[in-house]
Amino acid sequence: MNDIHLVIRTTGERTASVAKKLAIVSGLVENEVTVVNEIPFEVALRACYEEAIRVGRKWTMTLDADVLLADTAVRRLLGLAEQMPSHFFQIEGKVFDKITGIYRQAGHRIYRTELLPLALEHIPAAGAQIRPEFHTITQMVELGYPSRVVPSLVGVHDFEQYYADLYRKSLVHARKHSELLPNVIARCSRLLPRDDDFLVILKGIWDGLLMQEALTIDVRRYEDQAACAMQSLGLAEKQPIVDSDGFVKMFPRFFSDIRSLYPTPDGAVWDHLPALSESGTKPERVQRSWLAKTVGRIRERGAIRGSVAAFGALLRLAGQRLER
């Protein structure tokens, strides 16, 4: 654990303080944790890399403040990072995501610090990419520095967030993860009666599907739109988390409940490899990735039409709930 430094990215998330405390519980010492508060995301990403280079540990973990770590997460993921070949750039586990209801990669990575100066050169300009960090990592892959995704479950994502943040993310997800929309909408309809978060998520998806303009992940972009959405839903914004120590104390039970309620993720290790192998042919995993992207494009067109069609009944359900 002396070989790793953690950089937490925050833009005022409701869980920012508890995310740091949970990271310390997982094995880090407080003076090995830096908090970066920068916007837009591309500036924050650059600040993370620069801070990592300045501190100079072998490994650097970046963590979004909306990811809540399990108590053994950092140690487990670091152990898996140490097993990677020496030219691998970064490793990522999985989190259980509240918006999509699946285990997926989001909000955390462990980087090999010595490669970050090169990565700095490939951070895209603000607004140029909807997934700036993934774009940077893909550029590094093409330069010959692969990445790895492992099935290790490190925590949860987007639980206990402000309504405004859930609205903004759902709005962007309507385009960013359109292939997931049918399942997300069906899940929201089931859980709507017991959790207002899912009412907000549905509203964000609906508004995202109707928008014609290009979407952005800049947290400032949809502040006024989110406020209008909350007013239309009759919701007041959540209060900040005051008792962060109490939250941290109850979190292991909460995390255990998540694991018991939902199946654990696929056990496969996935390597993001350069497009061409030494023989000049595409590796098998890259071929599957290309096929997955092609299928995703086909599904995207169908998913959007199906999602819009399904929203009528869901909006009626939401209206009935608000009338009560």
Side-chain angles (χ1 to χ4, degrees):
M1 295 298 289
N2 294 329
D3 288 338
I4 186 169
H5 187 82
L6 172 67
V7 184
I8 297 177
R9 292 186 292 241
T10 180
T11 54
E13 289 87 348
R14 188 167 180 259
T15 54
S17 62
V18 294
K20 180 177 179 180
K21 290 186 176 183
L22 287 169
I24 294 171
V25 168
S26 70
L28 290 158
V29 294
E30 190 162 6
N31 62 3
E32 288 294 348
V33 180
T34 301
V35 177
V36 167
N37 189 347
E38 298 283 353
I39 48 178
F41 183 86
E42 293 84 355
V43 174
L45 183 60
R46 183 173 297 277
C48 289
Y49 288 178
E50 289 174 346
E51 175 65 9
I53 295 166
R54 184 192 70 79
V55 174
R57 299 291 181 264
K58 178 182 178 181
W59 301 101
T60 299
M61 183 173 187
T62 57
L63 181 73
D64 291 344
D66 53 14
V67 173
L68 306 177
L69 294 175
D71 56 3
T72 61
V74 178
R75 291 183 184 276
R76 285 187 286 113
L77 199 56
L78 180 60
L80 293 169
E82 291 283 3
Q83 296 173 24
M84 293 193 302
S86 60
H87 66 296
F88 271 52
F89 177 42
Q90 62 92 34
I91 189 170
E92 186 177 10
K94 292 191 175 183
V95 294
F96 185 78
D97 181 61
K98 181 165 190 178
I99 293 177
T100 61
I102 63 174
Y103 291 96
R104 70 183 187 93
Q105 299 96 252
H108 73 284
R109 302 178 190 273
I110 291 183
Y111 288 100
R112 194 180 301 275
T113 306
E114 66 181 5
L115 293 175
L116 289 177
L118 179 60
L120 272 172
E121 301 175 12
H122 296 280
I123 296 175
Q129 298 287 334
I130 197 167
R131 302 176 69 187
E133 191 169 20
F134 181 75
H135 172 82
T136 303
I137 289 166
T138 301
Q139 294 298 300
M140 291 294 288
V141 169
E142 294 305 317
L143 291 172
Y145 302 102
S147 289
R148 176 166 290 179
V149 176
V150 293
S152 182
L153 179 60
V154 302
V156 296
H157 179 240
D158 275 337
F159 284 81
E160 299 298 330
Q161 298 307 309
Y162 287 118
Y163 289 138
D165 286 332
L166 291 172
Y167 172 82
R168 170 180 53 82
K169 291 181 181 183
S170 301
L171 188 147
V172 174
H173 278 16
R175 306 259 192 93
K176 186 178 177 182
H177 299 295
S178 59
E179 73 281 1
L180 300 176
L181 291 188
N183 288 335
V184 172
I185 293 168
R187 178 171 177 268
C188 285
S189 68
R190 291 195 309 270
L191 299 175
L192 182 64
R194 65 187 190 203
D195 189 342
D196 285 334
D197 283 2
F198 295 103
L199 181 63
V200 174
I201 291 167
L202 283 173
K203 175 65 173 169
I205 292 173
W206 176 247
D207 290 352
L209 289 170
L210 292 180
M211 287 180 65
Q212 298 298 314
E213 63 192 75
L215 296 176
T216 174
I217 62 171
D218 191 328
V219 297
R220 302 165 295 184
R221 172 63 182 82
Y222 305 111
E223 289 179 349
D224 292 341
Q225 190 169 333
C228 291
M230 296 310 99
Q231 184 176 9
S232 71
L233 295 174
L235 294 175
E237 185 56 276
K238 297 176 186 176
Q239 294 298 310
I241 295 174
V242 177
D243 184 10
S244 57
D245 290 333
F247 187 102
V248 170
K249 186 177 180 180
M250 60 74 64
F251 183 73
R253 176 60 183 272
F254 173 78
F255 185 68
S256 177
D257 289 344
I258 290 292
R259 297 198 67 178
S260 65
L261 286 172
Y262 300 95
T264 53
D266 188 342
V269 174
W270 183 85
D271 286 342
H272 190 181
L273 300 170
L276 296 177
S277 68
E278 292 180 359
S279 64
T281 60
K282 288 190 176 183
E284 182 182 357
R285 285 202 179 278
V286 175
Q287 290 174 346
R288 286 205 298 268
S289 176
W290 176 86
L291 178 59
K293 289 179 181 178
T294 302
V295 172
R297 291 190 187 100
I298 296 171
R299 286 179 176 171
E300 178 178 351
R301 296 180 177 89
I304 291 178
R305 288 197 299 270
S307 299
V308 172
F311 254 104
L314 290 175
L315 288 177
R316 284 195 297 273
L317 173 62
Q320 291 168 2
R321 184 173 181 278
L322 288 174
E323 287 178 359
R324 293 200 303 268

